[in-house]
């Protein structure tokens, strides 16, 4: 029990801060409006870290890859499987939100009046908007939280270039690694203020929008939990079946209990790597595939985060009374969910970066970051369950692509000898 409390201490404190903030917003709205500056201070501290955090984290991650046998085929298959399952997760989140929008009955008219207008790109063409989204015309423009995607592109190119230079760039590799550790430590220090900062900002938000926003968050949690159960049981079984038929489904569920409980107890995909490795090897996944897919998946394969990203975008769209049922909205919401779940989710401390990226991508005011951070907090446990356990079944599908359709049969036959 003490271990569980320790693992969830930060999440519990965040929830406590949000709950207290909600009560203040409902029962003392006049006083709650005065709390906005305290919440804004916390957000500004996090905003200051975005540029160096993204640069050091992504560049460092790209310069610390180690080669393995069959690495090309394994990594190619892994990428294909990760994108496939993430797309399924995004579609599930979108259509679930379309059937039951958690924020459908929230009137946010008065709240958004006090926010800066949405940056729609000034009516520019799609091509111009795409150029603006992924590039900037001057290097100094990268040093802005409003240009997160161009910064990511630069960081990717920088990391790749360092790898290509090789041994001569070792001092830069060491600098990037140290810089990433330092930035992550700063995030950890500032997050000690999160319960107070988010609590104050949430109190202000509830006071502005009204108590009905609490129903929106509750509905989001209920809907996410339902979709998480559907995905965990239904789609993981489907993926196991695709990898090795009925036998694959049986052996997957025989070995996934410990990884599932570990994910729930620790709320950390990284903490589940060891138990996931044991489960994958018991299932029959070859060592080189398991030892490539699972550590990589702990950092980049986050189907639960993809669904969460979809929820956050739907939340903001609904606040501004945008339709989520059009084809263009479908592409924007699903694409945005994939981006923040697959790419941004792999950045250490990337949760907050995901929220800022969503606001920057669609032109929403950064003041709304706190509102969608709360969604991350309330869905943390089921999201981690999907993120972690999905890595094991992905390892099975990668094995199917690398070893062929009879991989499990051959593995079981080998065990009997």
């Amino acid at each position: 029990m003490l271990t569980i409390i320790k693992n969830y201490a930060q999440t519990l404190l965040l929830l406590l801060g949000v709950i207290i903030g909600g009560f203040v917003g409902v029962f003392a709205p006049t006083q709650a409006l005065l709390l906005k500056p305290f919440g804004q201070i916390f957000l500004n501290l996090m905003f200051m870290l975005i540029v160096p955090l993204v640069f050091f984290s992504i560049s460092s991650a790209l310069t610390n890859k180690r080669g393995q046998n069959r690495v090309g085929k394994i990594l190619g298959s892994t990428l294909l499987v990760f994108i496939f399952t993430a797309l399924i997760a995004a579609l599930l989140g979108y259509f679930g939100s379309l059937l039951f929008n958690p924020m459908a009955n929230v009137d946010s008219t008065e709240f958004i009046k006090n926010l800066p207008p949405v940056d729609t790109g000034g009516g520019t063409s799609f091509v111009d908007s795409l150029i603006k989204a992924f590039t900037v015309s001057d290097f100094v423009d990268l040093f802005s939280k409003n240009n997160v995607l161009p910064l990511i592109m630069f960081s990717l190119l920088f990391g790749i270039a360092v790898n290509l230079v090789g041994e001569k760039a070792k001092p830069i590799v060491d600098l990037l690694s140290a810089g990433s550790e330092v930035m992550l430590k700063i995030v950890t220090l500032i997050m000690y203020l999160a319960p107070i900062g988010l609590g104050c900002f949430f109190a202000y938000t509830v006071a502005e929008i009204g108590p009905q926003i609490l129903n929106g968050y509750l509905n989001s949690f209920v809907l996410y939990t339902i979709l998480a159960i559907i995905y965990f049981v239904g789609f993981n079984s489907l993926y196991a079946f695709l990898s090795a038929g009925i036998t694959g489904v049986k052996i997957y569920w025989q070995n996934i209990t410990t990884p599932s409980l570990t994910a729930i107890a620790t709320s950390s995909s990284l903490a589940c790597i060891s138990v996931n490795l044991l489960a994958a090897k018991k299932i029959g996944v070859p060592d080189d595939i398991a030892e490539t897919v699972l550590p990589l998946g702990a950092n980049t394969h986050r189907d639960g985060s993809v669904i969460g990203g979809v929820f956050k975008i739907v939340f903001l769209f609904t606040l501004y009374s945008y339709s989520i049922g059009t084809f263009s909205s479908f592409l924007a919401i699903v694409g945005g969910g994939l981006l923040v779940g697959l790419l941004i989710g792999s950045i250490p401390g990337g949760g907050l970066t995901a929220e800022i990226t969503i606001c920057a991508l669609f032109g929403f005011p950064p003041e709304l970051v706190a509102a969608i951070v709360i969604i991350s907090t309330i869905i943390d446990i089921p999201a981690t369950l999907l993120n972690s356990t999905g890595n094991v079944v992905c390892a099975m599908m990668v094995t199917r692509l690398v070893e062929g359709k009879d991989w499990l049969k051959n593995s079981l036959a080998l065990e009997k000898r």
Side-chain angles (χ1 to χ4, degrees), residues 57-70:
S57 298
I58 293 180
S59 300
S60 176
L62 287 173
T63 57
N64 284 282
K65 302 297 183 185
R66 57 190 180 90
Q68 296 188 27
N69 294 331
R70 303 191 294 170

Side-chain angles (χ1 to χ4, degrees), residues 342-375:
L342 278 174
L343 182 57
I344 308 301
S346 65
I347 302 172
L352 190 67
T353 309
E355 276 81 54
I356 293 175
T357 300
I358 288 173
C359 289
L361 184 64
F362 296 102
F364 292 114
E367 287 83 355
L368 288 171
V369 167
I372 53 178
V373 163
I374 294 169
I375 295 178

Side-chain angles (χ1 to χ4, degrees), residues 5-193:
I5 292 175
K6 181 179 179 181
N7 290 329
Y8 282 109
Q10 187 175 54
T11 299
L12 292 173
L13 288 173
L14 279 174
L15 287 174
L16 180 61
V18 168
I19 291 170
I20 294 174
F23 274 109
V24 173
V26 172
F27 297 107
T30 303
Q31 289 75 15
L33 296 177
L34 301 177
L35 297 176
K36 182 183 178 182
F38 298 99
Q40 193 67 56
I41 289 172
F42 167 74
L43 290 183
N44 288 346
L45 287 172
M46 297 304 296
F47 289 155
M48 290 190 304
L49 300 180
I50 291 303
V51 170
L53 176 65
V54 170
F55 171 72
F56 279 113
S57 298
I58 293 180
S59 300
S60 176
L62 287 173
T63 57
N64 284 282
K65 302 297 183 185
R66 57 190 180 90
Q68 296 188 27
N69 294 331
R70 303 191 294 170
V71 67
K73 189 172 183 180
I74 291 174
L75 288 178
S77 300
T78 300
L79 178 63
L80 181 65
V81 168
F82 282 2
I83 293 175
F84 170 70
T85 60
L87 179 59
I88 296 297
L91 292 174
L92 178 66
Y94 173 78
F95 286 110
S97 299
L98 197 62
L99 291 174
F100 177 69
N101 187 338
M103 296 292 292
N105 297 318
V106 175
D107 183 4
S108 59
T109 306
E110 292 300 319
F111 176 68
I112 61 177
K113 280 183 180 178
N114 298 319
L115 294 173
V118 174
D119 181 5
T120 58
T124 55
S125 68
F126 173 76
V127 174
D128 290 336
S129 298
L130 197 63
I131 293 172
K132 182 180 177 182
F134 288 95
T135 61
V136 290
S137 58
D138 197 327
F139 179 76
V140 297
D141 293 334
L142 291 172
F143 299 97
S144 170
K145 68 179 186 296
N146 295 321
N147 296 321
V148 173
L149 290 182
L151 176 62
I152 290 172
M153 297 301 295
F154 174 79
S155 302
L156 289 170
L157 289 172
F158 190 89
I160 292 171
V162 170
N163 266 334
L164 292 175
V165 170
E167 190 63 27
K168 290 182 180 180
K170 189 177 185 305
I172 296 180
V173 173
D174 295 337
L175 174 64
L176 291 173
S177 178
S180 179
E181 291 292 331
V182 170
M183 295 311 304
L184 189 57
K185 183 60 67 176
I186 296 176
V187 171
T188 301
L189 293 174
I190 293 179
M191 284 304 292
Y192 287 126
L193 300 175

Side-chain angles (χ1 to χ4, degrees), residues 328-347:
S328 59
S329 294
F330 163 75
L331 293 178
I333 293 170
V334 171
L338 287 172
L339 174 68
V340 300
L342 278 174
L343 182 57
I344 308 301
S346 65
I347 302 172

